[in-house]
Amino acid sequence: MRTTPRAPSRGRGGKYLGAITLGVALAASLTGLTAAAAPGPAERLPVFDGMTHRPENGPGTNILLLGTDSRAGITKAEKERFSTGSRGCNCSDTIMLIHVSPRRDRVSVVGLPRDSHAVIPAHRDPGSGATRAAHPAKLNAAYAEGGPRLAVRTVERMTKVRIDRYLEIDFRRFIDSVNQVGGVRVCTPRPLKDFATKLDLPPGTHHLTGGQSLQYVRSRHVDSSADFGRIQRQQRFLVGVLRTLSSDRAFTDPLRTTRLARAVLGSSRVDQGFTVDQLAALATALRELPPSKIEFTTVPVRGFSTPQDGIGATLDWDKQRAAKVFGALSGDRAFDARKAAGAPSDPPRLGSREIFHGDKVACD
């Protein structure tokens, strides 16, 4: 059994070129967060059962969102049309940590690069039952080795942030969810072209269907910013999803919101921590939250490490600056507002700590 993710392919097929963003999943999950408080004694989620030495509870709700690269349910025609590649590595190549304030008046989103240096905690292999000692790896290996439970443990130990909810989405659910909302509008001031995903967008505003959106959020060969540029596009996409939900009065219809919730949750056997009813009943809970109240950043990094046997080069976090970001999440504090005045650099710069609000990237 392979316990570390295969290095991303650089071939034209884009076979291992990352995973999807959680824009639609996040938009839907945020509507459920207000009713889905941290699990108490009478409400134990399977992914959290038996987990010990966890960070202390804090105000608000924290959720870990993972995008997996599963192609299950994707037809051959869709794979060819949207250049998804034929197989994935069972990795979580999109990783976001989200905080919703107790008063529902602020949402903070931190992107965690998949290639971040991590120490995977000691765990029992779910397939063989063998115990594996703690070891260094890339962050996305945690899901590949032990599924959502190990991913949650790893992120909690790295960030010191207690995770209250977990949600994952794959290619099929992403496409279906975007189509459920009627597509999403994105805008770009410059051309976006990726040889692997076949993304080809000229400057301007574009209305993307589910498959086209998958190309948009997966692309990491648009420029030299790689995963950092992809994370930023995922964050821009999220703003587009939220604006779609807030502007479309059809989402006040319980039946339509129920269909969207089911598309997001899918038929996964993983306990996502949300029910269809929770998502559907509160589909309008954050529709009134303006983009200016949603803040984004990416965990601060120092740069790439020297390649190590078995895992290659990893991204080293700037521990001091990262601790400030995660401390703000745990303490329900906004990120440094002085650094969030304008739009983010496009493309983003490696190592820069940029904080921006959703209204700075929203399409006119």
Side-chain angles (χ1 to χ4, degrees):
M1 177 178 177
R2 179 164 49 87
T3 56
T4 55
R6 190 175 303 179
S9 165
R10 297 188 181 277
R12 292 182 60 84
K15 193 172 183 181
Y16 298 106
L17 292 174
I20 59 174
T21 187
L22 299 176
V24 171
L26 177 55
S29 67
L30 289 177
T31 64
L33 283 174
T34 52
E43 182 193 3
R44 299 264 182 203
L45 303 180
V47 73
F48 299 108
D49 280 350
M51 288 177 56
T52 58
H53 307 297
R54 304 185 64 199
E56 294 183 0
N57 277 318
T61 305
N62 301 313
I63 181 169
L64 179 66
L65 284 83
L66 300 182
T68 72
D69 67 349
S70 170
R71 275 82 166 163
I74 301 294
T75 67
K76 181 179 179 181
E78 287 174 321
K79 290 177 181 178
E80 293 177 353
R81 182 179 178 187
F82 303 120
S83 300
T84 67
S86 59
R87 292 186 303 167
C89 65
N90 190 35
C91 301
S92 57
D93 284 342
T94 297
I95 308 169
M96 294 184 188
L97 189 56
I98 293 90
H99 174 79
V100 179
S101 67
R103 295 194 300 175
R104 313 172 191 176
D105 59 354
R106 188 183 70 257
V107 173
S108 303
V109 182
V110 182
L112 308 180
R114 64 177 190 171
D115 291 336
S116 298
H117 182 272
V119 175
I120 309 296
H123 62 279
R124 190 177 299 278
D125 187 284
S128 67
T131 299
R132 186 171 188 191
H135 59 279
K138 292 179 180 178
L139 179 55
N140 67 345
Y143 181 88
E145 292 186 29
R149 179 186 176 87
L150 188 57
V152 168
R153 288 180 59 200
T154 303
V155 173
E156 282 194 341
R157 295 194 181 194
M158 292 177 68
T159 64
K160 305 298 188 293
V161 174
R162 188 181 181 96
I163 294 170
D164 304 307
R165 296 289 173 182
Y166 168 84
L167 185 66
E168 71 176 59
I169 191 169
D170 57 20
F171 284 14
R172 177 76 273 159
R173 296 209 301 275
F174 180 88
I175 291 175
D176 292 345
S177 299
V178 173
N179 288 336
Q180 281 285 347
V181 301
V184 174
R185 190 173 63 157
V186 301
C187 48
T188 175
R190 61 190 178 95
L192 300 178
K193 199 166 186 176
D194 189 301
F195 72 88
T197 64
K198 302 299 189 293
L199 177 73
D200 189 1
L201 295 181
T205 300
H206 308 272
H207 188 90
L208 305 182
T209 63
Q212 294 169 328
S213 296
L214 185 63
Q215 292 173 294
Y216 177 81
V217 300
R218 288 186 64 232
S219 293
R220 62 187 298 272
H221 294 285
V222 170
D223 48 50
S224 60
S225 62
D227 275 350
F228 291 90
R230 182 172 65 170
I231 288 172
Q232 186 186 101
R233 281 186 291 279
Q234 293 168 352
Q235 293 169 339
R236 288 174 177 268
F237 185 81
L238 168 58
V239 174
V241 173
L242 294 176
R243 294 198 73 173
T244 297
L245 294 178
S246 64
S247 62
D248 190 342
R249 296 181 61 85
F251 283 100
T252 60
D253 177 5
L255 291 177
R256 186 167 184 184
T257 54
T258 296
R259 286 196 297 269
L260 174 60
R262 284 183 175 144
V264 171
L265 294 177
S267 58
S268 172
R269 296 180 181 179
V270 174
D271 191 317
Q272 302 275 38
F274 302 99
T275 67
V276 170
D277 288 343
Q278 284 175 332
L279 295 183
L282 291 176
T284 59
L286 293 185
R287 289 178 70 247
E288 304 304 320
L289 188 69
S292 61
K293 297 299 183 180
I294 306 174
E295 55 182 3
F296 298 91
T297 194
T298 301
V299 62
V301 300
R302 292 191 293 110
F304 282 96
S305 68
T306 302
Q308 302 177 51
D309 291 343
I311 64 174
T314 57
L315 273 171
D316 291 334
W317 291 1
D318 184 318
K319 294 183 178 180
Q320 184 175 4
R321 292 197 298 161
K324 292 181 179 179
V325 170
F326 299 126
L329 289 187
S330 294
D332 187 43
R333 300 188 304 272
F335 299 140
D336 189 349
R338 292 172 300 176
K339 296 180 179 295
S345 301
D346 185 12
R349 300 183 299 272
L350 175 66
S352 66
R353 186 201 167 192
E354 291 192 296
I355 300 166
F356 63 95
H357 292 156
D359 59 319
K360 303 303 181 181
V361 297
C363 300
D364 295 329

